Amino acid sequence: MPPFAVRAWSATTALGRGVQAQHAALLERRSGLRPNDFGPDNADGVPLPCWIGRVDGLEDAPLPAQFARWECRNNRLAWLALQQDGMLDAVRDAVDRLGAERVALVIGTSTSSIGASEEAYRDLQPDADGTPAFPPELARPIVHTVHSLGDFVQQVSGARGPCITVATACSSSAKVFAQAARLIEAGVVDAALVGGVDTLCGSVLYGFNSLQLVSAQPCRPFDADRDGLSLGEAGGFALLERVPADNRSLRLLGYGESSDAHHMSSPHPQGLGALQAMNEALARAGIAPEDVDYLNLHGTSTPANDRIEAAAVASLFPARLHASSTKGWTGHTLGAAGIVEAVFCLIALQHGTLPGILNSATPDPACGPQIRFDNAQASIQVAMTNSFGFGGNNASLVFGVSA
């Protein structure tokens, strides 16, 4: 496939707002995880006992008045993330240069603004005939759909090309790169704003806890004693365009997608879907496994997922590869994980900062030599990221620097 320029990019997580905050925390090995202080409370009146990656300040950052129709925690985070690193200015500039209908929006999430729906159902009030109804302040249909996020970003950006919300669980905001690349390559548009936003809510916390996937401790990816994940929230965006002949930007080189459909929440035991996604991404980029310098693993810190991903990586890549999970910094941000970890890859390419793994101390002997607990500093040319979602929805992305 042809490479695509990454014109602008940003992420906002529990580590802070914007790329500089993410990079500083990676260098300092400073985690954004904290003991859970996010409701709703458990049956015993206290928050679910776990650790979370919560973005500070959302409660005090309502949307501008003209966007009040879209008011909810998830769209607040989208708005906050768009204010960082000149993202909103960059997409509006693309709209001015290329035309509004030539800029697409492809945005990923898992639960979008379902937190607002939870609140509405908790606060049902009788309407005129006594039927339970949403309270007036939450009787806004647009915040009770998965597409609330894409619709909101369309309103604030001015882009009028195809507007798509992708919800394929934890691979959502990685698959947006693939869909955007296809739209540009097919000539449907000339640029695309991609990204993802997911926020903490009761459905996420208690849903994952009911699956016995949440650890009571900060997550420990690839540690021999890991016992589950830490959930987080995040938002991030990137602007993709065709690469002109003289461009020297960071680039999307390849993508791979697969759907093994092995199980609703468990990966294929031989990692077949993961291997297919990684192999397709390498093939589209036109490179061999030994050309990859850094791999950001999906690395959720659940016993099965880490073991299966590590085995797939060990079967494909040489031992010299530096591979790590950054979930110990941000928590697992679900539908936003793909864009956040793509940003970590772009930081690695731009600054040479290769993250290790936080909180893990005892390597699992079942995982290969590619898994690195310590940070490293190196000038690299190619970085790759994996995102593997429920239902066997898998995606891998390859990024590089121009020659």
Side-chain angles (χ1 to χ4, degrees), residues 77-96:
L77 181 49
W79 178 250
L80 186 65
L82 281 168
Q83 309 305 308
Q84 314 307 317
D85 301 305
M87 276 308 313
L88 194 54
D89 289 341
V91 68
R92 286 174 174 170
D93 174 70
V95 167
D96 290 342

Side-chain angles (χ1 to χ4, degrees), residues 3 243-251 253 349 380-382 399-403:
V243 178
D246 59 349
N247 180 263
R248 298 183 65 80
S249 63
L250 295 168
R251 298 178 176 189
L253 300 179
L349 290 165
I380 66 170
Q381 299 295 308
V382 177
F399 296 94
V401 295
S402 57

